[in-house]
């Protein structure tokens, strides 16, 4: 069994080398080269694609482009941020979650029971989460493509809710501009969520730290916590810490199930 595993690992390593040497490799050619079945090669390519080491297409595979590698890394850090945020949710908590995809993603990992989530993110209706979570939609006007619920109706509902915690995503977060967004219609709801929650956590990967977008939702002084990743610029993090923000850093390998 150990010898077979070593052989499989060697074959996959050689497949990777072949992909790097040639723009496109074909399944039938690889099967002939390594004297294995087409199914075995397809299984190898699927494994290597799952590891973000190549990209499959019908009948073959090609190298991962540098921009694909960067985007895969960003998505990995966003999953780590979501997983870390989920560990901060306790039994009986009530939460605000805004229209951020990253903030909503944390619901996939929440294990605590008797949790109530109030959100203006319409995408929650297509998510899987444990049956210990209750979802309350703010209502309001639906804005595509984010499926954000905004407008006076949503604002009136949010301003009367005071949950224990808020998990808020953003377009940018900096010591000068604070938490910013590209969507003007979401500013007031973000402001209310931050104002009414007992604790506020901003979720922002390294590409958003030190950046600013069109509209400020909150100055840094109103943000208690930032959850970001190890690639965030240290100088900006130091400035945020000096402004009173507690920084939570996630790193590769923090969670083994992604």
């Amino acid at each position: 069994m150990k010898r077979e595993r070593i052989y499989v690992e060697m074959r996959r390593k050689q497949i990777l080398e072949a992909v790097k040497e040639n723009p496109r490799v074909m399944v039938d050619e690889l099967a002939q080269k390594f004297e294995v079945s087409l199914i075995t090669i397809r299984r190898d390519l699927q494994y290597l694609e799952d590891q973000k080491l190549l990209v499959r297409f019908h009948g073959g595979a090609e190298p991962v482009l540098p921009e694909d590698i960067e985007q895969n890394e960003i998505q990995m850090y966003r999953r780590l941020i979501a997983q870390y945020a989920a560990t901060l949710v306790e039994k009986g908590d009530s939460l605000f979650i805004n229209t951020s995809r990253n903030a909503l993603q944390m619901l996939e990992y929440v294990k605590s029971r008797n949790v109530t989530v109030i959100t203006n993110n319409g995408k929650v209706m297509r998510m899987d989460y444990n049956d210990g979570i209750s979802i309350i939609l703010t209502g309001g006007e639906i804005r595509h493509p984010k499926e954000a619920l905004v407008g006076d109706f949503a604002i009136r509902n949010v301003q009367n809710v005071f949950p224990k915690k808020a998990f808020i995503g953003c377009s940018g977060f900096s010591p000068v501009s604070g938490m910013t967004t590209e969507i003007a219609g979401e500013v007031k709801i973000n402001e209310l969520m931050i104002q009414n929650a007992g604790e506020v956590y901003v979720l922002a990967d390294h590409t958003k730290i030190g950046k600013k977008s069109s509209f400020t939702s909150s100055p840094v002084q109103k943000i208690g916590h930032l959850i970001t990743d190890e690639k965030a610029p240290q100088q900006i993090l130091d400035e945020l810490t000096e402004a009173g923000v507690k920084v939570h850093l996630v790193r590769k390998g923090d969670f083994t199930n992604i």
Side-chain angles (χ1 to χ4, degrees), residues 6-251:
I6 292 173
Y7 176 71
V8 170
E9 291 173 354
M10 289 179 59
R11 184 178 67 243
R12 290 173 175 172
K13 182 178 179 181
Q14 291 174 328
I15 289 173
L16 268 183
E17 292 173 354
V19 170
K20 292 176 182 177
E21 292 173 0
N22 302 284
R24 294 161 72 91
V25 296
M26 307 307 294
V27 171
D28 53 354
E29 295 173 355
L30 292 172
Q32 184 176 2
K33 177 179 179 178
F34 294 105
E35 299 181 348
V36 294
S37 67
L38 296 175
I39 293 175
T40 296
I41 292 297
R42 292 192 186 103
R43 189 181 301 120
D44 288 341
L45 294 179
Q46 183 63 60
Y47 172 83
L48 293 170
E49 184 177 54
D50 291 343
Q51 300 301 308
K52 315 297 184 186
L53 298 174
L54 53 73
V55 177
R56 297 178 66 197
F57 59 83
H58 183 68
E62 58 190 7
V64 177
L65 298 175
E67 55 265 32
D68 293 330
I69 294 174
E70 181 180 4
Q71 188 59 40
N72 288 337
E73 183 179 63
I74 292 170
Q75 294 303 322
M76 176 203 68
Y77 279 124
R78 288 176 180 170
R79 288 196 299 272
L80 286 171
I81 288 169
Q83 283 191 290
Y84 181 86
T87 68
L88 302 173
V89 179
E90 301 173 299
K91 181 180 179 181
D93 271 353
S94 52
L95 319 172
F96 272 144
I97 291 180
N98 72 343
T99 59
S100 160
R101 186 187 301 270
N102 198 189
L104 191 66
Q105 187 179 21
M106 65 181 283
L107 293 185
E108 298 177 16
Y109 308 108
V110 172
K111 305 300 182 185
S112 300
R113 315 291 292 182
N114 193 26
V115 174
T116 301
V117 175
I118 303 95
T119 182
N120 64 328
N121 195 327
K123 286 185 170 67
V124 73
M125 292 185 289
R126 297 197 300 273
M127 283 195 64
D128 291 327
Y129 45 84
N130 82 58
D131 56 11
I133 298 175
S134 299
I135 304 293
I136 299 175
L137 283 169
T138 63
E141 178 186 353
I142 300 177
R143 294 284 179 87
H144 296 286
K146 289 182 67 177
E147 297 180 41
L149 299 172
V150 297
D152 291 342
F153 191 89
I155 289 170
R156 284 196 299 271
N157 287 333
V158 170
Q159 67 187 6
N160 294 316
V161 181
F162 300 87
K164 293 180 180 178
K165 298 166 184 172
F167 293 90
I168 309 292
C170 61
S171 299
F173 193 63
S174 78
V176 177
S177 303
M179 192 193 101
T180 54
T181 180
E182 286 293 338
I183 312 299
E186 298 179 16
V187 171
K188 183 60 178 178
I189 295 177
N190 287 341
E191 288 178 344
L192 286 169
M193 287 183 172
I194 291 167
Q195 173 186 303
N196 289 4
E199 288 186 280
V200 178
Y201 297 85
V202 168
L203 285 65
D205 66 80
H206 64 272
T207 65
K208 299 176 180 179
I209 303 302
K211 304 297 191 299
K212 62 180 179 180
S213 294
S214 302
F215 306 97
T216 296
S217 291
S218 173
V220 292
Q221 290 77 13
K222 293 185 178 181
I223 304 299
H225 303 264
L226 167 66
I227 307 173
T228 188
D229 62 75
E230 60 190 334
K231 296 193 73 175
Q234 188 60 51
Q235 180 180 346
I236 303 296
L237 297 182
D238 290 342
E239 292 177 19
L240 291 170
T241 300
E242 290 175 7
V245 179
K246 182 176 180 180
V247 176
H248 305 250
L249 278 183
V250 299
R251 297 175 173 83

